[in-house]
Amino acid sequence: MEEAYGYNQLRINYIKDHAKTIYEHSIQLENTWHNRNNFSVDDKTLNDYFENQRKQIEENMRYLKSYLEPHD
């Protein structure tokens, strides 16, 4: 596999995939936040959902950062 400047196509694909996943989770979080009053669930359930989304975004950010570092 061709590599240049510490990157190869596989690494770039991982970067794009994690960035896309972060974006998708952000959109889901925003949509849920805007519609929070329309759901028939309690505050604890919504709070748990937001906490889970935050954790997933943070996990994907860690993965993204690891792939952003050029490989020697």
Side-chain angles (χ1 to χ4, degrees), residues 16-66:
K16 289 178 4 184
D17 287 345
H18 287 297
K20 182 180 175 186
T21 300
I22 291 166
Y23 174 75
E24 289 171 350
H25 282 294
S26 300
I27 293 297
Q28 291 172 359
L29 186 102
E30 179 184 27
N31 287 338
T32 302
W33 185 83
H34 281 293
N35 292 300
R36 67 192 179 279
N37 295 324
N38 298 329
F39 296 120
S40 57
V41 296
D42 58 32
D43 283 341
K44 182 186 180 330
T45 302
L46 277 175
N47 192 51
D48 290 347
Y49 173 81
F50 286 118
E51 180 67 17
N52 185 44
Q53 288 295 93
R54 183 189 62 78
K55 287 179 182 178
Q56 289 179 5
I57 290 170
E58 285 179 346
E59 180 178 350
N60 275 281
M61 287 171 53
R62 281 192 298 276
Y63 289 134
L64 176 61
K65 286 179 184 180
S66 72

